[in-house]
Amino acid sequence: MCRMLSMYDVGEEDSDAFVDESQNSSGRQSYPIHMQLPVVEIMKDFMSGKTLFRNVLGIVLQGVNFLITERTNQIHGQLLEKAVLLCLEIVVLVMEKDSSVSDFWRPLSRMVGLSQLLLKSGTANTLIEDYAACLEMRSEECQIFEDSGTDPGVLIMQLLIDNISRPAPNITHLLLKFDIDGPVERTLLQPKFQYSCLKVILGILDKLLIPDVNALLHEFGFQHKLSTFLQLLYELCVDPLTSAPLMDLLCTKKYQFFVKHLISIGVAPLPKRSSSQALRISSLHQRAWLLKLLAVELHSADILLDHNHHEACQSILTELFGQRHADYGIDLDGSNYILHNDTQIGANGPISKSKVLELLGVVQFESPDITLKSSQFVSSAKYSSLAEDILSSPTTSGRSVYYSSERGDRLIDLASLRDRLWQKFNLYDAQSSTFQGEAELNEIREAIQQLLRWGWKYNKNLEEQAAQLHMSTSWSQIVEIAASQRISFLENRSDILFKLLDATLNFSGAPDCSLKMAQILTQVGLTCMAKLRDERFVFSSDSTSDTVTCLDIIMSKQLSNGACRSILFKLIMAILRHESSEALRRRQYALLLSYFQYSQHILDSDVPATILQFLSENGQEDEEFDLEKIDKDQAELAHANFSILRKEGQPILNLDGGFSLDSMQRLCTLEAELSLLLRISHKYGRLGSQHLFSMGSLQHIASCRALHLPVKGNIRRLDNKFGKNSFDVDKQRMVIAPTLRFLFSITSLVDTSEFLEVKNKVVREIIEFIKGHQLLFDQILQEDLSDANELTMEIINLVVGILSKVWPYEESDKYGLVQGLFGMMSSLFSRDIFSSIQSVRSENLQKADVSISRLSFSLSSYLYFLVTKKSLRLQVSDGATASASQQPTLALLATFLSILASALEKAAEEKYLLLKRKTCYDLYTCESISHLIP
């Protein structure tokens, strides 16, 4: 091998990989093989099929049987095995280098791929069988490699995984017996008749079903390979070329891969951290890759056209949720939770666990601590500070003290850390030791060992945390896909969704649930809540919009009041968890909003009960129908929601008084909190506003610093494009408008009959809010109405509506808001505002008319209030007094009333024309029908 390598001169491109032999003479420092070989030159040889390529293949193609015989009977057997391993490593290095530079070289000098070369040379089948035999041999051996990078089985699996995405046909396709003579995607895989790595992998996975063999695999530490086997299958199933052939194979009755391994791997007991943390990590990754495989099958399988995929999807759902579709003739599992139209969901009894919940239970453990400091392992602060200095400056002489694992985790390179520590103590050469004696030297050795143990523990804890998140993410994917795409396959869907939602809320609110886990689970909860809302109005398949009656809607399926209260309580507990983030809170607020939409009153309180009774009289034969009971139950739920929110959710409304808009995430979180308050106020009307006001929500909003930040420039000049004023646009849309909407909803509590009642607490708090944000109100009142956009017009309407409701109660006029309202009256009343907006696009004309009408109504109502309640006297025409105070005059008011009368007359004419056209159309329709009737 050395003679072969000596044929090549090291070029400039390999100078950074050259290592002086004298630097390694001590044996203390070892460099990876890619730093010892001229990889670029070797790759050129491989691409041309020259001497080194032929010699490497000559060594590898000796075969496994020959290697076993030589290793057993000959003295040089061990050296031969090392030579084979070195050749395999060289092949891997060439493939890696090829992957990084092929995109640049392919157009000019890239030759035929390796797969074609092997086929052309007639050695492909031999190589395929040898790789498969080597992989099979490693599955039966008891030898454990401390460094997985020297394990032939691991190297083979890494080779297969890394080359899946290479241009077809590639080495992975060759070794797994895909068709490389034709289109890869049309391959018919037959591992039963073709000996390859795929046959070996599927055979090893099948052995997991045999308890005795499974125990041996656990004992001999084969779990890491099982994880890579499942990862390989997943990567093949998501690759566009290999997906269809492999998934078709796994769905066949011979393999029944998905459910078979869900039973054997999915909910097996998780090894304990104290006994075998490495096995625990590998076991979590196994389940993660398996769940990802199941999710791919549920998501992409064409179940409508392929019977095997249809059965595979159905069997997955059966195993996960514990029931089958009625078409299969299998009884459904009993449930403790049923619906309003039969009984109740979640009213009594414990929640029976299905396999999907058992899988969630696997990851329901406290994440290992990755905040352990080296000082907790070393008694002397001198040594721990030395380690922290090394880790804080991780790169020295091109070598890093960190490395990335296969899954991207940033781990400590223990060998590098050890070498750096010895360098610090100048102990590479024992003769140059400056220490006082053997005792101090032993102390240093012991300290380094303790630091290495700490580094090993840190790595394992970080790997376990990553494995936990990996499985949690995979679990969330399969649940969301099943809930959003395949839920129609199942019976008792509301029951299933409630159990999933309940479980995710329980865990996300638990003290041992990490922040990342809580984000994943909350997203699953959002999906389940959305599907519960859909399920309320899912009717039988033969129902149409014409056949669904009012009774069907009133009797729509819904969780019981007890289940709803449980969801709300657990959701609030999850929101109030100690550790949170902007992203998590936004998801939780969205989930809370979705819950309020789900639990809102199905009956409109404005519609008399007699009318509802009449509309539903066709369903009176249903003994379960009781309109009064339904109304009472939903009223009780609304009351219970407010009681829980008032008792447990007070901190939710405590908006951060020190809130700063230093990021878009914080701005979105504030918007989500305001949206929650608006949803409660809007859906529950005056009752909702009363509860929110009594909880002090207005005071908390008033203390939010976001409202005190000024908006630069005029509001009307801000548009929705990113640019100079994008921050102001965001503030206007996400903070100012929602806040004013909420404040306007609170004004519904103001009783105008209590005019000048100083004890009116609602009025006082709203007035104090206005005084505290006078600059904002002044700026809005100064806007020009002629070219205001839709959002600005809404904000102006909100401000005028708020002021017209409460400002008459304010005796002092030192704030200048009355003059601002008078100025807007002068601007609005002095011209035909309805005709001046004709320049607006035609599709927005109706919205603009409505906004102007609302504004006119608010201003005229305010003026009427001042005249009738506060004895305001208007001047006949403009004079010195009227001009100074901007007070509208009788002449201006008369002009406005004349314009308004003309607008109303025009609207009446348009309405008359529409009614006339409708009448003519009805007469024409009747005449047409009469001709058809004999």
Side-chain angles (χ1 to χ4, degrees), residues 291 471-481 520-521 524:
L291 291 177
M471 182 178 173
S472 301
T473 303
S474 303
W475 181 87
S476 70
Q477 289 173 353
I478 193 170
V479 170
E480 292 202 54
I481 290 174
I520 294 171
L521 295 173
V524 174

Side-chain angles (χ1 to χ4, degrees), residues 359-411:
L359 287 166
L360 178 60
V362 171
V363 292
Q364 282 186 298
F365 59 85
E366 186 175 1
S367 300
D369 188 7
I370 60 173
T371 61
L372 288 173
K373 300 296 183 182
S374 57
S375 57
Q376 297 176 251
F377 281 70
V378 183
S379 56
S380 174
K382 176 179 65 175
Y383 300 128
S384 62
S385 62
L386 181 63
E388 291 175 2
D389 290 342
I390 293 174
L391 295 173
S392 61
S393 55
T395 304
T396 302
S397 302
R399 293 195 63 191
S400 175
V401 75
Y402 293 103
Y403 73 98
S404 295
S405 69
E406 297 173 3
R407 297 174 182 86
D409 304 319
R410 188 169 180 257
L411 305 178

Side-chain angles (χ1 to χ4, degrees), residues 54-74:
R54 294 194 297 270
N55 281 283
V56 167
L57 285 185
I59 295 174
V60 173
L61 291 177
Q62 295 297 322
V64 175
N65 294 331
F66 175 79
L67 179 60
I68 293 175
T69 302
E70 293 292 304
R71 186 177 61 183
T72 306
N73 301 326
Q74 301 295 332

Side-chain angles (χ1 to χ4, degrees), residues 691-709:
H691 278 278
L692 293 177
F693 179 78
S694 63
M695 295 171 68
S697 57
L698 188 57
Q699 296 176 355
H700 296 304
I701 294 178
S703 65
C704 181
R705 281 172 39 192
L707 289 171
H708 293 276
L709 296 178

Side-chain angles (χ1 to χ4, degrees), residues 5 64 430 853 920:
L5 296 178
V64 175
S853 299
C920 294

